Amino acid sequence: MEIKYFDHPHHLLLLSKTKYDLIDCPICLEKLGSVGTQNYNCSAEGCKYGVHESCAKLPREVQSPYHPHPLTLRRPRILGRLDFYSSKCNGCRKYDKGFVYSCEDCDFKLGLECAFMGPVMVIEGEGGCQGQLRKHPIHQQHPLLLFEKVPNKHYKCPVCLKYCSDPDPAYGCWECCLYLHDGSCFETMLPPQIQHFYHPHPLTLSTTPRNIKCRACYEWSWNIIWYYSCKQCKDFGMDIPCALLVLAASTTTKSESQIQHFLHGHTLSLNKNELDDQKVADCCVCGKGCTGPTIYVCGRGGNCKNIYFHKSCLEFPQQICHPFHPYHPLTLTLLEQNFYHLKICNACRKSIHTFVLNGRCSFAYICEDHNCDFLLHAECSTVMMPVITYEGHAHLLQFRNHNVENNKLNCGACKSNICESCAFTCLYCDLNLHLLCGPLPHSIKHKDHNVHPLLLTNSPVQEELEDETDEFYCHACEEERDPQLPVYYCAECQFVAEIKCVFFELILLLKGEHGDVDLRTTSGQFGKLIFKNIAKEMAQEKEEQVKTPLTLYDILKSWSIDEIEQLNSVLRAGERTLVIAKEDGYDEDCAGETLLFSDRTYTQFMKLLDRGTQIPTPFKNVGEVPKVSPELAHKEEVVSVGDYMVTLKLAPILKHLLSKHKEISATSILRPRVKMYLLNMLCECIYSMINTKVVDITENLLLNWWTCLKILQFAEFRIQFAFDHLKRVTHAYLGLHVRKEVDITLDKIDKEIQALEDKRKHVIAAKSTKSNLFKECLREASILKYGNAGTFFLYR
């Protein structure tokens, strides 16, 4: 039998066995079939066109009850590479590359199966027909029609999440793409709001189509019509079947064999393993094999088939307060799926897989609401090592004896790589410090000197400086030591021990083997090593004090024009100092004269400091709404210290200043918020000084420090103590700088002298090895050197 087909008008199609069984039918895009089946194939030689017999018999035009115009069977419109998305069915909202029935004028399309779907018609009086209608309490806007010939895997029932399929009829709303199984799904009563044990807030029945991932079964549902969502948590959604499970569980008797737990959205059942040593699966909390006799399991299929928990792991609290993250609570939570990133536990520094692998989930303690990116293994949350309070940092530090990240951490103080096995680490902001850059025990006992304790001291010690010797020895090992490294020292016995000789005792103290320990740095900052019970109390106290996060940037944006002008007038004091220094005869050309250890060199350098430098204002411009420069007013969280707000990292410095020097701004008549900014500037200056070694100080850095203190002095702050310390640092810098310049100059002169000596030797060597030609030249020179050049022409 031959036919002429509209999609292949060039040749006739012959009903025959398929020659090219790997070719797709253009109508339905299914294979033409294996050898032996009959399809309509092109009769022309070499043409591989063919269609299924059933597809060829599809009517060219149909009239759908859901569109007023006739629909014509057409090949999908190809839009370049977007042909896959060119045919979206207006019925099921799915995309198809095959042929569709479409109305070109209205851009209305129906897939091959949806085009033949229609409502079940009932015959009424006088030959009239009408669709069978029912109303649903949740879908009030349209009545639901009873449909027959519902295509397979096109329309999903939102109550059971199973597909409505032929031959079973289903009630549906064509306009809203809503279809329900006739029977139990239609009759199910869905409460408008439920309280689910898996979520702290009420869940409300939503009827807006959306793609959601159910937080109970972890399954995605595309374009789902009905689901339960949380109005407070925007991304939390739960499908109807999982939400209804809690209602069914509430009517059953609770027992140890079935429990509801915040770690999983379904009821967990006790699975008693007969063979205690036989591994069933990995626990979702600790990641270890479930081999004990009491294991809780979900038991549902899909992504829940590998949900297993140790009974002991289910006893972890849902929310904890941890001393290494004291400002926000941590919540035991399922980690979101991420195939490209491995998160690191802030305690043990080992990775935590943040993706679901073969249905296995990973849980960890995280900071949910503040984007802190802080994360702990559940087991690591219970390991409370001794913690360290340190004035040089706002958060608690941890001493790590076994650094698992050798050659990966950088020291926040000296900026160099930490390659040793010991380090101080902040688990909150990932600050790392060398052992010698952090706080060490202030006092230590050593077997070689058990008469008196040894105190942490800067090297060289006073007695060694008075001897003016360049050789420095450790009395413990009797070997020469590096004079730039701190030592432990007994002033009474003049006993010096370098760090490596007391290393064993040092580690025991930092590990908490001898209880609480007072710590100190060689720059005079204090610290203390404390135990976990005190650390927890500190964390809870800080948590109670936490308010809505506020930044220095936020505070400056609320300043008045008067406050801004007052601050600017204070900061411009440095510019007036610069003018006065010029009028005072400051010689800029002599500022760098450092070749002589003279009073003139010292005077010129101090004039350079008094001249100052410009301190930029944090405001870009002043208008009705002040514009603040984010570079000069960082968006770092501020905390309250006394009557002032200061950034988090500077809080320990201001606290120490106020406790030791009282109210240093009491004599100033500036407004409180102007004082607050200047105190932040002072603490920032001190913070920079704390984290800079004297040998690394530059002239610009020293100039900034000096200018900052001069501005505060102009504002009538009592900071003479800071000036006294900075003068000592300045003297040390100037001494090192002049010595370095002298050494460089002498080295340059020595090199020039050596070059001249080498040249002299070369000339002498050339003189002793002159050639015969030059000997002739020298002989003539000795003869003619006293005569005139023309004498021999006249007398010869």
Side-chain angles (χ1 to χ4, degrees):
M1 180 185 296
E2 290 184 337
I3 62 170
K4 188 174 183 180
Y5 196 58
F6 73 93
D7 189 52
H8 195 72
H10 315 88
H11 311 115
L12 295 176
L13 301 184
L14 177 64
L15 185 62
S16 61
K17 293 181 178 180
T18 302
K19 299 178 182 179
Y20 310 104
D21 57 302
L22 298 179
I23 301 300
D24 292 338
C25 169
I27 309 300
C28 65
L29 296 183
E30 299 290 338
K31 300 296 180 186
L32 289 179
S34 59
V35 177
T37 59
Q38 288 193 339
N39 298 297
Y40 280 100
N41 303 296
C42 182
S43 58
E45 185 68 27
C47 183
K48 298 181 179 180
Y49 184 88
V51 295
H52 291 122
E53 182 180 5
S54 58
C55 292
K57 292 180 179 180
L58 288 173
R60 182 79 170 89
E61 190 175 273
V62 298
Q63 182 65 55
S64 172
Y66 314 112
H67 192 70
H69 306 140
L71 303 179
T72 305
L73 185 63
R74 303 178 190 274
R75 183 180 287 270
R77 183 181 301 170
I78 299 177
L79 303 175
R81 291 187 174 183
L82 300 180
D83 59 318
F84 180 79
Y85 302 100
S86 61
S87 298
K88 180 181 180 180
C89 175
N90 288 82
C92 62
R93 276 65 161 177
K94 292 187 177 182
Y95 296 94
D96 199 344
K97 290 177 66 176
F99 276 43
V100 294
Y101 282 97
S102 65
C103 174
E104 292 298 315
D105 295 335
C106 304
D107 194 25
F108 183 87
K109 304 179 182 68
L110 288 178
L112 298 180
E113 295 178 292
C114 294
F116 295 97
M117 183 180 69
V120 177
M121 306 303 291
V122 294
I123 300 175
E124 296 187 346
E126 299 181 0
C129 294
Q130 186 176 351
Q132 187 173 340
L133 300 175
R134 289 186 70 180
K135 292 185 178 180
H136 197 281
I138 298 177
H139 194 75
Q140 296 284 352
Q141 59 268 41
H142 306 116
L144 301 183
L145 285 169
L146 185 63
F147 283 84
E148 60 182 354
K149 296 181 180 179
V150 180
N152 293 326
K153 295 186 178 180
H154 280 252
Y155 301 94
K156 185 178 285 188
C157 174
V159 177
C160 65
L161 291 184
K162 297 179 180 178
Y163 283 104
C164 300
S165 58
D166 189 39
D168 298 326
Y171 280 94
C173 175
W174 175 268
E175 294 182 51
C176 302
C177 197
L178 171 66
Y179 291 87
L180 296 168
H181 288 117
D182 184 19
S184 61
C185 291
F186 193 94
E187 301 293 340
T188 300
M189 297 301 296
L190 300 177
Q193 192 176 79
I194 64 171
Q195 184 64 55
H196 200 284
F197 67 88
Y198 190 54
H199 194 67
H201 307 136
L203 300 181
T204 305
L205 183 62
S206 301
T207 58
T208 304
R210 178 183 161 196
N211 300 332
I212 71 160
K213 180 181 181 182
C214 177
R215 291 300 184 94
C217 64
Y218 321 121
E219 292 280 358
W220 278 98
S221 295
W222 307 103
N223 202 31
I224 191 170
I225 304 297
W226 293 345
Y227 56 94
Y228 282 93
S229 63
C230 177
K231 293 183 178 180
Q232 298 184 46
C233 307
K234 187 166 67 173
D235 296 329
F236 190 92
M238 189 175 289
D239 57 43
I240 299 295
C242 291
L244 294 182
L245 282 176
V246 68
L247 300 180
S250 62
T251 61
T252 61
T253 304
K254 299 287 192 307
S255 65
E256 188 182 0
S257 61
Q258 284 196 338
I259 62 171
Q260 294 175 350
H261 200 274
F262 63 84
L263 288 181
H264 191 59
H266 303 144
T267 301
L268 299 177
S269 302
L270 186 62
N271 179 25
K272 292 187 177 181
N273 187 17
E274 296 180 358
L275 300 176
D276 293 352
D277 58 346
Q278 181 179 359
K279 177 181 175 180
V280 178
D282 291 333
C283 175
C284 295
V285 175
C286 66
K288 299 177 182 178
C290 292
T291 57
T294 53
I295 302 166
Y296 281 93
V297 59
C298 175
R300 290 170 57 90
N303 286 334
C304 297
K305 64 181 179 180
N306 287 327
I307 298 294
Y308 287 86
F309 297 99
H310 291 119
K311 184 179 180 180
S312 58
C313 290
L314 292 178
E315 295 173 357
F316 279 106
Q318 184 175 11
Q319 199 170 74
I320 63 172
C321 177
H322 199 277
F324 288 126
H325 191 82
Y327 300 100
H328 311 126
L330 302 178
T331 306
L332 189 58
T333 309
L334 171 69
L335 297 178
E336 290 296 327
Q337 185 173 355
N338 189 333
F339 290 97
Y340 305 103
H341 180 56
L342 292 179
K343 290 195 174 182
I344 304 298
C345 173
N346 287 64
C348 66
R349 298 289 172 165
K350 294 181 180 178
S351 62
I352 296 180
H353 293 273
T354 60
F355 54 84
V356 179
L357 183 62
N358 297 328
R360 181 180 175 272
C361 306
S362 297
F363 291 84
Y365 280 103
I366 65 173
C367 183
E368 283 189 308
D369 301 325
H370 299 84
N371 298 320
C372 293
D373 201 27
F374 188 89
L375 184 147
L376 289 177
H377 285 110
E379 290 183 314
C380 290
S381 68
T382 63
V383 181
M384 305 294 293
M385 297 77 64
V387 295
I388 295 171
T389 60
Y390 174 43
E391 287 185 340
H393 193 61
H395 312 134
L396 298 175
L397 299 181
Q398 175 195 0
F399 172 69
R400 299 171 64 187
N401 189 23
H402 299 288
N403 181 16
V404 297
E405 294 179 304
N406 285 340
N407 302 315
K408 294 182 181 179
L409 302 178
N410 289 324
C411 178
C414 65
K415 312 303 180 186
S416 59
N417 185 258
I418 300 177
C419 55
E420 298 85 2
S421 62
C422 299
F424 295 101
T425 300
C426 174
L427 303 188
Y428 185 82
C429 62
D430 203 25
L431 172 81
N432 303 290
L433 295 172
H434 281 109
L435 182 67
L436 297 184
C437 293
L440 296 176
H442 177 54
S443 174
I444 201 169
K445 292 183 179 180
H446 191 261
K447 60 181 181 180
D448 292 336
H449 189 79
N450 52 16
V451 181
H452 307 116
L454 303 178
L455 302 181
L456 183 66
T457 310
N458 277 316
S459 177
V461 297
Q462 187 65 34
E463 288 76 9
E464 293 174 323
L465 291 173
E466 293 173 355
D467 291 342
E468 296 184 355
T469 178
D470 291 333
E471 295 181 353
F472 305 93
Y473 288 91
C474 170
H475 297 149
C477 63
E478 298 182 351
E479 294 181 0
E480 192 171 354
R481 73 173 200 275
D482 187 346
Q484 295 185 358
L485 298 180
V487 294
Y488 278 92
Y489 175 62
C490 174
E492 187 174 345
C493 304
Q494 298 185 9
F495 183 88
V496 178
E498 54 186 335
I499 297 293
K500 69 176 184 179
C501 291
V502 296
F503 189 77
F504 178 75
E505 293 83 357
L506 198 70
I507 298 301
L508 290 180
L509 290 172
L510 291 175
K511 289 171 65 175
E513 298 290 340
H514 300 294
D516 294 353
V517 180
D518 290 326
L519 307 176
R520 192 172 297 182
T521 64
T522 54
S523 59
Q525 288 180 293
F526 293 90
K528 190 165 186 177
L529 184 137
I530 56 180
F531 279 96
K532 62 181 181 180
N533 55 344
I534 303 177
K536 277 189 175 181
E537 293 174 5
M538 291 176 56
Q540 291 170 358
E541 181 182 351
K542 287 187 177 181
E543 185 179 354
E544 292 174 357
Q545 297 174 353
V546 170
K547 301 178 181 178
T548 303
L550 185 67
T551 67
L552 183 61
Y553 183 83
D554 297 327
I555 295 175
L556 290 173
K557 285 197 301 183
S558 64
W559 274 30
S560 66
I561 302 299
D562 292 339
E563 288 173 323
I564 296 173
E565 290 180 349
Q566 192 175 76
L567 175 65
N568 288 344
S569 66
V570 174
L571 296 181
R572 283 195 293 266
E575 297 179 11
R576 290 194 292 271
T577 304
L578 187 148
V579 175
I580 294 172
K582 282 188 175 180
E583 295 174 352
D584 194 36
Y586 168 70
D587 188 358
E588 189 171 0
D589 294 333
C590 297
E593 184 183 344
T594 56
L595 296 181
L596 298 174
F597 295 96
S598 65
D599 292 344
R600 184 168 181 264
T601 299
Y602 176 83
T603 302
Q604 289 295 330
F605 186 76
M606 297 307 293
K607 281 187 177 183
L608 171 67
L609 294 182
D610 282 332
R611 182 177 180 181
T613 186
Q614 185 176 5
I615 301 295
T617 171
F619 297 96
K620 292 182 178 179
N621 66 324
V622 180
E624 293 183 1
V625 179
K627 291 187 177 180
V628 185
S629 173
E631 294 82 11
L632 300 174
H634 302 293
K635 296 184 178 181
E636 183 182 351
E637 186 177 342
V638 294
V639 294
S640 177
V641 177
D643 296 331
Y644 302 102
M645 303 295 290
V646 67
T647 56
L648 203 58
K649 74 173 182 179
L650 303 179
I653 297 176
L654 182 57
K655 186 177 180 180
H656 177 73
L657 289 177
L658 295 179
S659 64
K660 188 173 182 179
H661 302 283
K662 308 305 177 186
E663 185 56 71
I664 59 178
S665 63
T667 55
S668 176
I669 60 174
L670 297 175
R671 296 194 176 192
R673 292 207 287 190
V674 179
K675 289 183 181 182
M676 179 211 69
Y677 183 83
L678 293 177
L679 282 173
N680 273 271
M681 194 169 72
L682 172 63
C683 293
E684 190 72 50
C685 174
I686 295 175
Y687 182 86
S688 175
M689 294 170 65
I690 289 171
N691 291 284
T692 305
K693 292 184 177 180
V694 175
V695 293
D696 296 330
I697 295 175
T698 63
E699 185 176 295
N700 288 335
L701 192 58
L702 192 60
L703 192 59
N704 286 334
W705 295 343
W706 193 273
T707 305
C708 175
L709 296 186
K710 290 286 287 185
I711 289 174
L712 287 161
Q713 195 177 55
F714 173 80
E716 298 183 353
F717 280 59
R718 296 202 303 254
I719 56 165
Q720 189 58 44
F721 67 91
F723 258 120
D724 293 341
H725 177 77
L726 186 57
K727 284 178 182 178
R728 289 191 61 195
V729 174
T730 302
H731 291 169
Y733 165 80
L734 188 58
L736 291 173
H737 182 70
V738 171
R739 181 186 294 174
K740 181 179 179 181
E741 288 294 322
V742 170
D743 290 343
I744 291 174
T745 303
L746 291 176
D747 185 61
K748 182 179 179 181
I749 293 174
D750 289 340
K751 289 181 179 179
E752 290 176 352
I753 292 174
Q754 184 63 44
L756 290 172
E757 287 288 344
D758 293 341
K759 188 174 182 180
R760 183 174 181 276
K761 291 179 181 178
H762 179 73
V763 172
I764 293 174
K767 181 179 178 181
S768 61
T769 57
K770 50 186 177 292
S771 63
N772 292 331
L773 182 59
F774 264 96
K775 289 179 180 179
E776 177 65 25
C777 293
L778 292 173
R779 186 171 63 253
E780 292 293 347
S782 61
I783 297 173
L784 301 178
K785 64 181 178 179
Y786 296 113
N788 294 327
T791 302
F792 294 100
F793 286 107
L794 299 176
Y795 299 103
R796 217 169 175 178

